[in-house]
Amino acid sequence: MGSEPDQATSPPASRRALRGAAGASSSAPEPPAPPAPAPEAEPTVDELIDTSTIILTRRELRALRAETGSIPVVPEPLRPAEASQPEVPRPSTPAPESPAALESAAAPEPAAARQVEVEPAVTAPVVVTAPVFEAGTETPRLTVGTDEPAAPDEPAREVETAAALDVVPEPATVVVPEPATVVVPEPATVVVPEPATVVVPEPVPGNGTLPEPEIVATPELAVVAPSRAGRNLPVAIGVGLGLGAAFLASLYFHKELFGILAVAVMVAAMLELRAALGRSRVSVPLWPLVVGTVGMFVSAYLVGAEALVVALVVTAGAVVIWCVIDTPGVLALRNASAAVFIAAYIPFLASFLGLALAQPDGEWRVVFIVALTVACDTGGYAAGVLFGRRPIAPTVSPKKSWEGLAGSFVLTVAVGVWLVIVLFDAAWWLGVLLGAVAVVAALVGDLAESLIKRDLGIKDMGSVLPGHGGMLDRVDSLLVVAPIVTVLLATLVPA
């Protein structure tokens, strides 16, 4: 029976046979690979004008990675129309892309680009910057970073791509700020006196010796030392002599002229004190005080001490009523109190000179009172400037010293003894007594006015008298000396 012979079953291959078959298969020629694309020409510098930067947040980065499995770098191709246009500078900070641009970024990347997987940051959005060509290399460098500043020990992550991309990157625009303008002030001009010039003469022929050099001194800068007098002394002396001449002339020609001069001085002193109080927001009425000043001096001169007291009371009542009508509330009490104080301090005390002037020998009594006051001020000033070391009241008047008080006592007592003998033909001890009392009274008046000025925070009440200050600064001692010496002189030396 003619039948096809049975196919023989092949025995199982041994391990040696399998190894030989594997070697044969590995040595078999591989199929020809497809032709590689022609290498693209390297972009020129002029074509490197575009750089695309895409900013992705964490959420967008995760969604993009879930869809594509990687983060493709999709550069935007350069449009022909833009290539022909001139270069326009772009802002250094790129704006975030729209959602449409993000969707286009998820499209498949070109063959020339490599997909790069980047691990997203934990807390900050990722910034993927287009490739940047480094000098001397053909492989672009892709920098991936975040908006947050990197830690000092954490360098920026860089991933190199395998081949150049199809996009020609544009170099980043670097804005260099202009340097700040630093204004250097000119140094202060210091005037230094030139040193002394030493002139060395030439040697005399024959003897070979040099004469002594001649020193030509250069004038030094004049340094004015502060005066211990504390004032312009020549001006102060001139003003004092002028006031004394006016005072003596008014008594010499007619003693009523002295009344006019005294009222003018009192009004000037009152205006200074009123202005000083006004700096502390204390408003003092002017016209009631002016009328009261004239009334008190005239009443004392024509009638006597009783009329002087009545004039003071009327003046005080007038200023109180004026302040109550003009200023309501508690301020009226404050202003009225200041006005009554001024009326009692200046015109009332000074009007005692009107009582002395009313006596038959009134002009001599006024001269005696004013002379004691002037001697007290002059002796204290001279001794204080020359020998003053220990102040009497440092917190009230630092320039008043015990040495100056001793000088006041010596000169005032000497003038008192001389004038008591010459003018009133009285015992010399009356001059000593009146002089000593005048020194104490003048010191109290001076310290009282200094206390008022210190409380108001001023140095002088005014500047009407150059070298002396204000009018009240000049008559502060006389305001206390006048009533005390007038009463003692009327008692001890009756007219």
Side-chain angles (χ1 to χ4, degrees), residues 10 69 94-95 99 119 193 210 242 262 267 273 278 283 293 298 309 336 358 401 409 417 431 472 484 489:
S10 61
E119 186 67 19
L210 289 175
V267 171
L273 183 55
S283 178
T293 299
V298 172
V309 175
S401 61
F409 183 83
V417 171
L472 185 57
I484 296 177
L489 195 59

Side-chain angles (χ1 to χ4, degrees), residues 3-19:
S3 61
E4 296 178 0
D6 294 336
Q7 295 178 357
T9 302
S10 61
S14 63
R15 291 183 177 179
R16 186 182 300 273
L18 290 177
R19 291 177 181 175

Side-chain angles (χ1 to χ4, degrees), residues 139-460:
T139 302
R141 178 173 53 86
L142 182 64
T143 303
V144 181
T146 61
D147 286 341
E148 295 184 354
D153 56 348
E154 181 181 356
R157 291 169 292 175
E158 299 182 357
V159 180
E160 294 184 357
T161 59
L165 302 180
D166 295 337
V167 180
V168 179
E170 178 185 0
T173 304
V174 180
V175 180
V176 180
E178 297 182 359
T181 304
V182 180
V183 180
V184 180
E186 298 182 359
T189 303
V190 181
V191 179
V192 180
E194 298 180 359
T197 303
V198 180
V199 180
V200 180
E202 297 180 357
V204 180
N207 53 10
T209 59
L210 289 175
E212 295 183 358
E214 179 183 359
I215 300 177
V216 180
T218 303
E220 299 180 356
L221 296 177
V223 179
V224 180
S227 175
R228 295 190 61 187
R231 66 178 72 179
N232 192 338
L233 194 56
V235 174
I237 294 175
V239 172
L241 292 178
L243 291 176
F247 164 71
L248 294 177
S250 64
L251 290 175
Y252 177 78
F253 290 104
H254 207 284
K255 61 182 182 181
E256 281 76 11
L257 293 177
F258 171 75
I260 298 175
L261 179 63
V263 170
V265 171
M266 286 187 288
V267 171
M270 220 166 29
L271 290 176
E272 291 176 352
L273 183 55
R274 177 177 177 268
L277 291 173
R279 299 189 187 99
S280 301
R281 299 182 180 180
V282 178
S283 178
V284 177
L286 176 61
W287 292 111
L289 289 176
V290 173
V291 175
T293 299
V294 176
M296 280 186 277
F297 191 87
V298 172
S299 300
Y301 177 71
L302 296 179
V303 181
E306 298 82 1
L308 174 60
V309 175
V310 171
L312 173 63
V313 173
V314 172
T315 303
V319 296
V320 169
I321 295 174
W322 188 293
C323 291
V324 171
I325 296 175
D326 184 61
T327 307
V330 183
L331 296 179
L333 179 61
R334 183 188 65 179
N335 297 340
S337 302
V340 172
F341 167 73
I342 292 177
Y345 176 53
I346 297 177
F348 176 74
L349 296 179
S351 295
F352 277 85
L353 292 176
L355 294 177
L357 188 64
Q359 301 297 323
D361 56 349
E363 59 274 8
W364 299 120
R365 293 177 181 266
V366 172
V367 168
F368 180 78
I369 295 171
V370 174
L372 290 181
T373 305
V374 173
C376 181
D377 290 344
T378 304
Y381 175 76
V385 170
L386 296 176
F387 311 107
R389 294 293 183 274
R390 297 171 296 174
I392 298 176
T395 58
V396 178
S397 182
K399 294 185 179 180
K400 297 293 184 297
S401 61
W402 291 104
E403 292 80 6
L405 181 62
S408 298
F409 183 83
V410 172
L411 186 59
T412 305
V413 168
V415 172
V417 171
W418 176 59
L419 290 180
V420 161
I421 296 175
V422 173
L423 297 179
F424 306 111
D425 194 16
W428 62 270
W429 59 269
L430 289 177
V432 176
L433 176 63
L434 294 175
V437 171
V439 170
V440 177
L443 178 62
V444 172
D446 201 342
L447 292 179
E449 198 247 357
S450 299
L451 187 61
I452 295 173
K453 292 190 296 184
R454 185 166 294 274
D455 186 63
L456 296 176
I458 58 177
K459 182 180 182 296
D460 293 324

